[in-house]
Amino acid sequence: GPKVLQIPSHQIIDMGQMVTLNCDPVSNHLYFYWYKQILGQQMEFLVNFYNGKVMEKSKLFKDQFSVERPDGSYFTLKIQPTALEDSAVYFCASSDRGQDTQYFGPGTRLLVL
Amino acid sequence: QQKVQQSPESLTVSEGAMASLNCTFSDGTSDNFRWYRQHSGKGLEMLVSIFSDGEKEEGRFTAHLNRASLHVSLHIREPQPSDSAVYLCAVGDLPGTGSNRLTFGKGTKFSLIP
């Protein structure tokens, strides 16, 4: 089936530093998403993005978070500065239309020390 | 705010037995309901989506939705060893932005006794 790639698969970073998580969505998809999963808890919606804009974000999407997809390249999640509670697995997803199936990547495991 | 709960937390069945996984949600006005599964260390694999009350079959996987009961289930027919994974229920909402927001349950860990 359609594949979403995420780079890197693992990232260890010191608290306060900036981190960028990269997502290579399914080509020709138009809607992009980030979800966060803390160890042992369910996956939670962070943000969705369409036509260069954030459409909706949850309360987990703090001011330190930002997303962009410049010129059809990677869809990125940037955290600046990072905090200990940002340690989690971050999943990217994409869909063709808003209500269509979201295809997920394998996740980036972020550890903030 | 939508709340999604899955049961059981783990399920082990023998080969050849039908497997049934349950999911309850708090808001019956949601737009779409999906079952994914996740093999260890991998991304989510889409199994079946259902949008209206009743049944939807995709291969060996069948979803049943009953909005009035706030319940959606997944049945796995003739489970195979490769079906061993964590199964996730996701409830989708389209809040007018045109972009779907999925709320997930914690998952059911499914495994097969050969």
Side-chain angles (χ1 to χ4, degrees):
Chain A
K3 291 263 191 280
V4 174
L5 304 177
Q6 290 188 241
I7 302 157
S9 58
H10 296 78
Q11 179 86 55
I12 300 174
I13 197 163
D14 289 326
M15 183 177 63
Q17 286 195 304
M18 182 194 76
V19 68
T20 300
L21 309 184
N22 298 291
C23 172
D24 188 8
V26 176
S27 63
N28 80 348
H29 277 188
L30 301 175
Y31 291 81
F32 312 104
Y33 312 81
W34 284 103
Y35 291 83
K36 175 182 179 182
Q37 186 174 32
I38 294 173
L39 188 64
Q41 298 182 23
Q42 63 248 65
M43 195 175 303
E44 293 187 274
F45 170 80
L46 279 177
V47 65
N48 53 31
F49 188 85
Y50 167 74
N51 197 25
K53 290 183 285 212
V54 170
M55 304 303 290
E56 188 187 6
K57 57 187 179 181
S58 73
K59 60 178 186 254
L60 296 180
F61 194 80
K62 305 179 297 184
D63 291 344
Q64 297 89 329
F65 288 30
S66 62
V67 291
E68 63 176 354
R69 191 184 189 218
D71 299 325
S73 60
Y74 287 149
F75 175 52
T76 62
L77 173 65
K78 184 186 293 186
I79 309 174
Q80 181 178 26
T82 51
L84 295 177
E85 61 265 27
D86 297 331
S87 294
V89 181
Y90 291 83
F91 290 92
C92 170
S94 69
S95 67
D96 186 12
R97 295 176 302 169
Q99 69 270 34
D100 287 348
T101 294
Q102 292 178 27
Y103 292 91
F104 284 78
T108 292
R109 283 146 188 81
L110 176 66
L111 178 60
V112 181
L113 301 175
Chain B
Q1 183 183 352
Q2 181 70 264
K3 293 194 187 331
V4 177
Q5 294 195 309
Q6 292 186 239
S7 63
E9 284 188 19
S10 64
L11 176 66
T12 302
V13 303
S14 302
E15 237 175 319
M18 170 82 82
S20 296
L21 290 69
N22 296 297
C23 174
T24 57
F25 45 93
S26 58
D27 183 354
T29 63
S30 291
D31 303 281
N32 54 90
F33 304 83
R34 306 183 191 254
W35 284 96
Y36 287 87
R37 72 181 176 188
Q38 186 177 25
H39 289 99
S40 183
K42 306 285 187 187
L44 274 63
E45 176 189 359
M46 179 66 204
L47 297 174
V48 58
S49 298
I50 187 165
F51 301 90
S52 55
D53 281 355
E55 181 179 298
K56 176 83 178 294
E57 183 178 309
E58 295 282 358
R60 294 182 295 108
F61 302 97
T62 302
H64 290 262
L65 173 63
N66 184 329
R67 283 178 198 268
S69 300
L70 302 176
H71 182 256
V72 60
S73 60
L74 178 70
H75 304 274
I76 309 173
R77 182 169 41 86
E78 298 172 6
Q80 300 163 5
S82 58
D83 292 328
S84 296
V86 175
Y87 286 74
L88 297 171
C89 171
V91 178
D93 291 281
L94 293 159
T97 63
S99 196
N100 206 10
R101 175 186 69 226
L102 294 178
T103 303
F104 284 86
K106 282 193 173 183
T108 292
K109 186 173 182 181
F110 175 74
S111 49
L112 197 68
I113 303 174

